[in-house]
């Protein structure tokens, strides 16, 4: 069965919690179980679900406001994402970003992407990083009096600048 | 040659190492919004990039590919347009759940090898395609659980002693806290038939690809230590009995007239362990082949539509033949 908190991964844990005499039971996946804190609430993935809505009014309000908004690429609305727990297209993540934020935090914790960057973005995001790298190499080459190498690096920086 | 026919490192425990990237094209929706013409367009574009690099599309029955662990069950059951391209150790599923599932599968334990092969394929596609990506969320995937690196690293492990000692639940719990999933890998259900387990990362966000690789490596190493220790102890405790039990299973497999899939998995686990301990003259590759190539779709693909009983007969015959050949 699927995890009752994120609704995505297989549930491998069975949780029981007693708060003020009210017992909560849940089948959870490993990630949700490990992230389970005092703020734990059950609920569907994106919408917060029935229990989730009772516990926190914010997702529901946000949800209401978004009812008419549609994705600019696949033209699905947010209720589709809330219902299926999946995006309609890549653009959904961008167009519905504020609505998905809480749910994505619940799913992945408070982190951002650290891995590789695709070519297109590498050119945009990576040029700055690359330039810093080259400038560092240039300083090292000059310090080591390796002028031939320094000239090569300087050319690289120049061509990088002209690209920008 | 399929991955399970090749020699690999630490095959007494590891059957395979797999690295998989999920990638999507920025301008296309996911299913079900992705219509058939758009899906075909993606398949064409991807084929146009891969074929000049030596990739071929695979037209083998999907059920057979699934049993060989080359494609997912979802891909095997897919009714809408989809395609599989392969070259060497790479197998790329197009229009599965994500537009692209780029995978590399190596035999035995080979995390670096699988990562390198998979990365090369991914880079080749990145050169020509516009991947859906966001600076914060990473690679945008159909299912939000895969966001970030959108990378799954998994090793398939043979763990007869841990599984017999009833330790797998405990390991599953311990590793899940480290962001590692352990699940039974054999058979139809989620059970661990054949004592086969899949160990993979569940975390994809906030980590680098190298860190994911390292996490899986560490998890696998800790399991290996315990399994080897248990094997040693089991042998020490009463080797004659162990040997008797495993050889009886070997004998049954050799002379059975009807063997169903469940029994095949049981034979498999016993004979594989017997081979590792040197009781029977087979290498593990042949035993793995005996398992995968006698699952239901393989038998149907070989012999046509057969009744369940006829399948069991064919399975028993084929198993016996393979074991005889291996020992002659
Ligand atoms: Zn969960
Ligand atoms: Zn969309």
């Amino acid at each position: 069965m699927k995890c009752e908190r994120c609704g995505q991964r297989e549930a491998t844990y069975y949780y029981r919690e007693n708060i003020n005499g009210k017992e909560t039971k849940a089948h959870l996946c490993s990630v949700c179980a490990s992230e389970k804190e005092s703020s734990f609430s059950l609920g569907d993935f994106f919408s917060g679900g029935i229990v989730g809505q009772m516990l926190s009014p914010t997702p529901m309000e946000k949800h209401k406001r978004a009812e008419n908004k549609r994705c600019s690429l696949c033209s699905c609305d947010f209720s589709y994402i809330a219902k299926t727990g999946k995006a309609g297209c890549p653009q959904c993540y961008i167009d519905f970003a504020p609505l998905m934020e809480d749910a994505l935090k619940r799913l992945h914790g408070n982190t951002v992407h650290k891995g590789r960057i695709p070519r297109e973005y590498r050119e945009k995001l990576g040029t700055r990083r690359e330039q810093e790298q080259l400038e560092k190499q240039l300083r090292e080459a000059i310090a080591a009096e390796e002028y031939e190498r320094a000239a090569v690096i300087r050319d690289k920086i120049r061509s990088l600048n002209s690209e920008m | 040659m399929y991955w399970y026919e090749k020699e690999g490192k630490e095959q007494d425990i590891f059957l395979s190492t797999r690295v998989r990237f999920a990638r999507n094209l920025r301008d296309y929706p996911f299913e079900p919004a992705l219509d058939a013409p758009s899906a075909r367009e993606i398949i064409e574009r991807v084929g146009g990039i891969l074929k000049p690099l030596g990739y071929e599309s695979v037209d083998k029955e999907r059920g057979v590919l699934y049993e060989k662990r080359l494609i997912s069950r979802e891909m095997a059951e897919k009714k809408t347009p989809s395609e599989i391209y392969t070259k060497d150790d790479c197998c790329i599923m197009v229009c599965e759940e994500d537009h692209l599932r780029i995978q590399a599968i190596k035999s035995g334990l080979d995390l670096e090898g699988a990562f390198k092969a998979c990365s090369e394929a991914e880079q080749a596609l990145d050169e020509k395609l516009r991947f859906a990506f966001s600076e914060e969320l990473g690679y945008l995937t159909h299912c939000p659980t895969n966001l970030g690196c959108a990378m799954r690293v998994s090793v398939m492990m043979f763990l007869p002693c841990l599984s017999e000692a009833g330790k797998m639940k405990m390991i599953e719990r311990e590793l899940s806290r480290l962001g590692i999933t352990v699940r039974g890998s054999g058979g139809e259900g989620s059970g661990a038939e054949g004592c086969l387990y899949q160990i993979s990362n569940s975390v994809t966000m906030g980590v680098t690809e190298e860190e994911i690789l390292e996490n899986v490596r560490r998890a696998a190493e800790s399991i290996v230590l315990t399994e080897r220790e248990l094997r040693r102890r089991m042998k020490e405790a009463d080797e004659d009995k162990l040997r008797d039990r495993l050889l009886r299973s070997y004998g049954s497999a050799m002379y059975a007239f009807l063997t169903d899939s469940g029994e095949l998995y049981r034979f498999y686990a016993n004979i594989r362990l017997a081979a590792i301990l040197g009781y029977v003259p087979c290498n593990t590759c042949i035993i793995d082949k005996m398992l995968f190539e006698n699952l239901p779709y393989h038998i149907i693909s070989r012999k046509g539509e057969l009744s369940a009983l006829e399948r069991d007969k064919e399975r028993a015959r084929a198993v016996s033949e393979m074991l005889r050949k291996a020992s002659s």
Side-chain angles (χ1 to χ4, degrees):
Chain A
M1 82 181 284
K2 294 278 183 221
C3 168
E4 290 175 44
R5 186 160 167 267
C6 65
Q8 298 289 318
R9 292 176 281 251
E10 275 311 306
T12 50
Y13 275 81
Y14 184 60
Y15 253 100
R16 266 156 106 169
E17 197 173 54
N18 200 305
I19 302 169
N20 304 328
K22 195 173 170 293
E23 197 178 46
T24 317
K25 297 174 191 169
H27 294 274
L28 299 178
C29 72
S30 55
V31 175
C32 289
S34 69
E35 274 169 19
K36 191 191 148 301
E37 307 144 336
S38 53
S39 65
F40 173 66
S41 72
L42 292 172
D44 289 336
F45 181 48
F46 282 116
S47 63
I50 303 159
V51 188
Q53 283 168 11
M54 287 194 300
L55 291 175
S56 66
T58 8
M60 203 175 164
E61 273 167 28
K62 277 189 191 170
H63 192 186
K64 268 238 160 70
R65 262 184 278 128
E67 242 158 42
N68 298 321
K69 190 177 162 67
R70 288 187 171 271
C71 169
S72 60
L73 178 69
C74 73
S75 75
C76 78
D77 61 8
F78 188 67
S79 69
Y80 169 81
I81 302 174
K83 198 172 72 207
T84 59
K86 306 221 162 156
C89 77
Q91 188 65 26
C92 286
Y93 287 107
I94 292 147
D95 288 0
F96 296 115
L99 294 162
M100 286 167 120
E101 202 187 337
D102 294 345
L104 291 177
K105 286 236 163 78
R106 248 185 292 154
L107 195 58
H108 292 290
N110 211 351
T111 50
V112 293
H113 179 58
K114 273 202 205 149
R116 61 170 66 147
I117 302 166
R119 166 186 49 85
E120 261 186 289
Y121 294 80
R122 209 156 41 224
E123 283 160 15
K124 274 180 242 158
L125 302 174
T127 315
R128 215 179 319 132
R129 224 177 291 162
E130 201 182 326
Q131 191 172 1
E132 283 165 13
Q133 281 271 309
L134 286 171
E135 274 163 8
K136 190 171 156 245
Q137 284 174 22
L138 180 63
R139 282 195 300 275
E140 283 166 4
I142 292 169
E145 299 187 4
E146 294 175 27
Y147 298 113
E148 257 170 62
R149 192 161 74 94
V152 174
I153 297 167
R154 196 171 287 131
D155 285 346
K156 274 192 199 160
I157 294 173
R158 233 170 249 150
S159 72
L160 208 62
N161 281 335
S162 64
E163 272 171 38
M164 273 168 87
Chain B
M1 239 201 327
Y2 293 104
W3 63 266
Y4 53 82
E5 296 173 279
K6 295 178 195 163
E7 302 276 335
K9 271 179 235 148
E10 305 197 36
Q11 269 175 322
D12 61 322
I13 302 228
F14 294 92
L15 272 83
S16 68
T17 306
R18 172 192 315 253
V19 172
R20 190 193 76 199
F21 293 121
R23 294 290 184 264
N24 288 284
L25 307 193
R26 207 192 299 166
D27 310 315
Y28 293 89
F30 301 133
E31 292 205 326
L34 182 73
D35 56 16
S38 305
R40 277 190 214 104
E41 215 173 279
I42 295 176
I43 293 165
E44 284 291 302
R45 282 182 65 186
V46 172
I49 299 165
L50 292 177
K51 281 176 187 162
L53 298 174
Y55 282 81
E56 289 171 356
S57 67
V58 189
D59 55 3
K60 229 180 171 40
E61 299 100 311
R62 294 275 173 100
V64 169
L65 296 173
Y66 167 66
E67 285 177 348
K68 290 184 190 299
R69 315 295 172 103
L70 289 172
I71 62 168
S72 61
R73 170 183 285 269
E74 192 179 3
M75 191 66 176
E77 288 168 354
K78 206 135 193 276
K79 302 276 190 293
T80 45
S82 59
E83 186 62 271
I84 302 155
Y85 293 108
T86 130
K87 183 191 151 195
D88 304 329
D89 303 313
C90 289
C91 178
I92 298 172
M93 296 186 274
V94 189
C95 293
E96 195 234 28
E97 181 188 307
D98 289 293
H99 298 148
L100 291 163
R101 287 270 170 105
I102 306 161
Q103 1 166 51
I105 305 160
K106 292 273 187 186
S107 65
L109 176 66
D110 188 4
L111 288 160
E112 288 80 16
F115 181 58
K116 192 165 164 273
C118 198
S119 294
E120 267 168 28
E122 194 261 354
Q123 289 298 303
L125 288 160
D126 184 39
E127 284 294 313
K128 303 270 166 68
L129 298 167
R130 302 172 73 209
F131 288 151
F133 180 80
S134 121
E135 227 177 298
E136 282 197 353
L137 298 177
Y139 290 92
L140 303 176
T141 50
H142 189 191
C143 184
T145 49
N146 295 326
L147 290 167
C149 292
M151 174 189 180
R152 194 76 55 202
V153 177
S154 61
V155 285
M156 202 200 296
M157 301 178 85
F158 175 61
L159 305 171
C161 295
L162 276 167
S163 134
E164 195 169 286
K167 300 265 191 230
M168 289 312 295
K169 273 281 158 225
M170 191 195 76
I171 289 180
E172 203 180 304
R173 268 169 185 278
E174 261 173 40
L175 290 180
S176 74
R177 269 188 267 126
L178 305 170
I180 297 288
T181 306
V182 178
R183 69 159 55 119
S185 164
E188 297 297 297
S190 54
E193 286 158 284
C195 304
L196 296 176
Y197 293 86
Q198 202 88 43
I199 282 77
S200 62
N201 62 303
S202 50
V203 176
T204 52
M205 181 73 96
V207 284
T208 63
E209 284 81 5
E210 287 74 15
E211 284 166 341
I212 293 176
L213 226 49
E214 193 49 36
N215 277 347
V216 174
R217 178 204 315 285
R218 249 181 285 155
E221 269 169 8
S222 71
I223 297 174
V224 166
L225 284 179
T226 342
E227 172 68 21
R228 291 226 169 99
E229 174 63 19
L230 283 176
R231 284 183 189 179
R232 195 183 58 78
R233 269 194 238 163
M234 200 187 241
K235 212 171 155 180
E236 266 176 20
D238 198 344
E239 184 164 11
D240 290 346
K241 257 210 179 113
L242 174 68
R243 191 170 182 146
D244 178 66
R245 179 165 68 83
L246 299 180
L247 285 177
R248 273 168 192 278
S249 193
Y250 178 69
S252 296
M254 195 81 113
Y255 291 102
F257 190 66
L258 296 172
T259 300
D260 66 23
S261 300
E263 203 169 22
L264 176 67
Y265 274 108
R266 285 192 293 280
F267 287 155
Y268 168 78
N270 288 332
I271 298 170
R272 201 176 200 277
L273 185 58
I276 290 162
L277 297 174
Y279 303 156
V280 297
C282 300
N283 75 21
T284 53
C285 290
I286 289 168
I287 301 163
D288 295 342
K289 188 180 163 86
M290 174 194 89
L291 172 68
F292 295 123
E293 298 195 354
N294 284 301
L295 293 171
Y297 283 113
H298 275 83
I299 292 189
I300 291 168
S301 153
R302 216 159 50 217
K303 295 280 164 178
E305 284 294 338
L306 294 178
S307 69
L309 191 75
E310 290 297 321
R311 279 208 300 275
D312 292 351
K313 217 183 268 180
E314 162 60 19
R315 183 176 295 115
R317 187 203 62 75
V319 165
S320 168
E321 189 185 274
M322 278 174 146
L323 292 177
R324 259 172 240 277
K325 252 193 216 152
S327 63
S328 65

